[in-house]
Amino acid sequence: MPRTERGRRTLRAILDAAAAEFGDRGFHETGIIQITQRAGVALGTFYTYFDSKEDVFQALVRDFSDKVREGAGRAIADATDQIDAERRGLDWFLHFAREHREIYRIIDQAEFVDQDSFRFHYETTVARIRKRLEAAAERGEVRADVGEIHAWAIGGMNVFLGLRYGVWSDDGDLSEVARIANDFLAKGLAPK
Amino acid sequence: MPRTERGRRTLRAILDAAAAEFGDRGFHETGIIQITQRAGVALGTFYTYFDSKEDVFQALVRDFSDKVREGAGRAIADATDQIDAERRGLDWFLHFAREHREIYRIIDQAEFVDQDSFRFHYETTVARIRKRLEAAAERGEVRADVGEIHAWAIGGMNVFLGLRYGVWSDDGDLSEVARIANDFLAKGLAPK
């Protein structure tokens, strides 16, 4: 992370420009020059932050992972129990997906451009879901046998709902989508 | 579809070679010449079947959609009820994903290379899930309010389980993964 406020703003501008360019054109069709032009920074400035196009792409995937972790974390902070937390987290994520449609295009490109980042993003996201659910099982809020398979199932559910109702749709009540999906989840995870 | 058996074999060879090349290198890094070399056909032969690299890519996504539809269809034919059918379908799909790891890389590239094919693949797959579940609701086998949102949730669940346990993992009991996910599904979709 840059030490100065100005440095952090420049880094942010480069990441946002890269997200927009990679989202619009795709990784292969995007040059560093297009990123710097969009960010309004000199080419030399780019190279003080990143070594290559691959490097900024990797930083972008981490940046999205951070945003999802922090955003979902804030959204679930006031939840009354774990099922309510999962609803709030999904509600937040669906709105985030609609506002940041490029995220899906970037993460899916990562499968090719940077396989490690691709796995890192999903594995850490799902590991957080699993940890939350296992803690909830300890408290008796969800079934005692909850584990990794449930966490991947829920991760996939959330990503697809974000694609269908967030990225592909401009209207539709996202909180209602989250409510219906959460009712399915609540019954599927109910203690025996 | 070619009219002769020989023509169908040639088409199959081109599609299989394209799947392998696009899966290994990615769409952008693959040339038609690499596809024809791998398939063992002349460049002119390629052009009697396809107009372009985009064209064979689009055919490949449709071909995968067909395989999933037919394979899952056969797998669920002997199911005792809809929940059992969903387990059999997922069990089949997890094995299919492990044997055809390139499918994920190709479908995810489609988000960029051919957005229409990308949506077509997921929309038709999820529409089939929805249709099956709504018919089951009529028979009282699953909750009466089952609908599109549940179908997208289940589609996402299946795709992520295929990624984690099929594509990314060489061992692990896939039928056990399907069984655990199906128990979650059964409780989530149980009639009220």
Side-chain angles (χ1 to χ4, degrees):
Chain A
M1 275 297 288
R3 271 171 299 177
T4 67
E5 174 57 29
R6 189 179 159 177
R8 286 190 290 274
R9 272 205 308 271
T10 304
L11 175 61
R12 188 71 261 159
I14 294 171
L15 286 173
D16 289 346
E21 290 292 329
F22 291 146
D24 283 354
R25 300 165 193 263
F27 180 81
H28 287 282
E29 308 293 322
T30 299
I32 290 173
I33 195 78
Q34 288 153 335
I35 296 171
T36 55
Q37 280 176 352
R38 189 161 192 149
V41 304
L43 193 58
T45 305
F46 177 91
Y47 285 105
T48 65
Y49 293 92
F50 301 105
D51 291 334
S52 63
K53 191 169 78 160
E54 284 72 15
D55 196 21
V56 67
F57 185 89
Q58 191 177 344
L60 202 52
V61 175
R62 302 275 168 147
D63 180 57
F64 273 133
S65 285
D66 289 346
K67 279 185 179 165
V68 171
R69 190 187 69 240
E70 290 162 14
R74 276 193 304 275
I76 71 182
D78 297 326
T80 52
D81 59 29
Q82 197 54 44
I83 296 297
D84 183 49
E86 297 304 322
R87 183 189 58 73
R88 287 168 186 249
L90 176 56
D91 195 313
W92 175 84
F93 178 70
L94 296 176
H95 286 89
F96 178 77
R98 187 176 279 173
E99 280 155 34
H100 298 276
R101 290 161 191 239
E102 73 282 7
I103 189 172
Y104 279 71
R105 290 162 70 87
I106 287 165
I107 298 291
D108 285 347
Q109 286 180 85
E111 191 170 2
F112 254 83
V113 175
D114 181 6
Q115 177 75 225
D116 288 343
S117 286
F118 180 72
R119 288 187 66 146
F120 174 85
H121 172 72
Y122 283 128
E123 287 178 346
T124 53
T125 305
V126 170
R128 284 197 302 274
I129 296 174
R130 180 181 180 176
K131 200 174 157 195
R132 293 199 304 256
L133 293 178
E134 288 179 346
E138 295 275 328
R139 299 191 302 269
E141 292 176 20
V142 301
R143 54 196 295 170
D145 64 353
V146 78
E148 188 189 84
I149 293 167
H150 300 98
W152 280 94
I154 293 163
M157 193 173 111
N158 292 353
V159 166
F160 266 53
L161 292 171
L163 180 67
R164 167 63 183 82
Y165 297 101
V167 177
W168 286 350
S169 180
D170 283 316
D171 48 25
D173 182 349
L174 295 176
S175 297
E176 178 67 3
V177 173
R179 195 194 60 71
I180 290 171
N182 188 249
D183 180 66
F184 168 63
L185 183 82
K187 296 199 167 53
L189 294 183
K192 285 175 187 174
Chain B
M1 277 297 287
R3 271 171 297 178
T4 66
E5 174 59 28
R6 187 178 161 182
R8 285 190 290 274
R9 272 205 309 271
T10 304
L11 175 60
R12 187 73 261 158
I14 294 171
L15 286 172
D16 289 346
E21 290 292 329
F22 291 146
D24 284 353
R25 302 166 192 264
F27 179 81
H28 287 281
E29 308 294 321
T30 300
I32 290 173
I33 195 79
Q34 288 153 334
I35 296 171
T36 55
Q37 279 174 353
R38 189 162 194 149
V41 303
L43 193 60
T45 305
F46 176 92
Y47 284 106
T48 64
Y49 293 91
F50 301 105
D51 291 335
S52 63
K53 191 168 77 160
E54 284 72 16
D55 197 20
V56 68
F57 185 89
Q58 190 177 346
L60 202 53
V61 175
R62 301 277 166 145
D63 180 57
F64 273 134
S65 286
D66 289 347
K67 279 184 179 165
V68 171
R69 189 188 68 240
E70 289 162 14
R74 275 193 304 275
I76 70 181
D78 298 327
T80 53
D81 59 29
Q82 198 53 45
I83 296 297
D84 183 50
E86 298 303 323
R87 182 188 58 72
R88 286 167 185 251
L90 176 57
D91 194 314
W92 175 84
F93 178 70
L94 296 177
H95 286 88
F96 177 77
R98 187 176 279 173
E99 281 155 33
H100 299 276
R101 289 161 193 243
E102 73 282 8
I103 188 172
Y104 277 73
R105 290 162 70 87
I106 287 165
I107 299 291
D108 285 347
Q109 287 180 84
E111 191 169 3
F112 253 84
V113 174
D114 181 5
Q115 178 73 225
D116 288 344
S117 287
F118 180 72
R119 288 186 65 147
F120 174 85
H121 173 72
Y122 283 129
E123 287 178 346
T124 53
T125 304
V126 170
R128 284 197 302 273
I129 296 174
R130 180 182 181 177
K131 200 175 157 191
R132 293 200 302 257
L133 293 178
E134 288 179 346
E138 295 274 327
R139 299 191 302 269
E141 293 175 19
V142 300
R143 54 197 293 171
D145 64 353
V146 76
E148 188 189 85
I149 293 167
H150 300 97
W152 280 94
I154 292 163
M157 192 173 112
N158 293 352
V159 166
F160 266 53
L161 293 171
L163 180 67
R164 168 63 184 81
Y165 298 102
V167 177
W168 286 351
S169 180
D170 283 316
D171 47 24
D173 182 349
L174 296 175
S175 297
E176 178 67 3
V177 173
R179 196 195 59 71
I180 290 171
N182 188 250
D183 180 66
F184 167 64
L185 182 83
K187 296 198 168 51
L189 294 183
K192 285 177 188 174

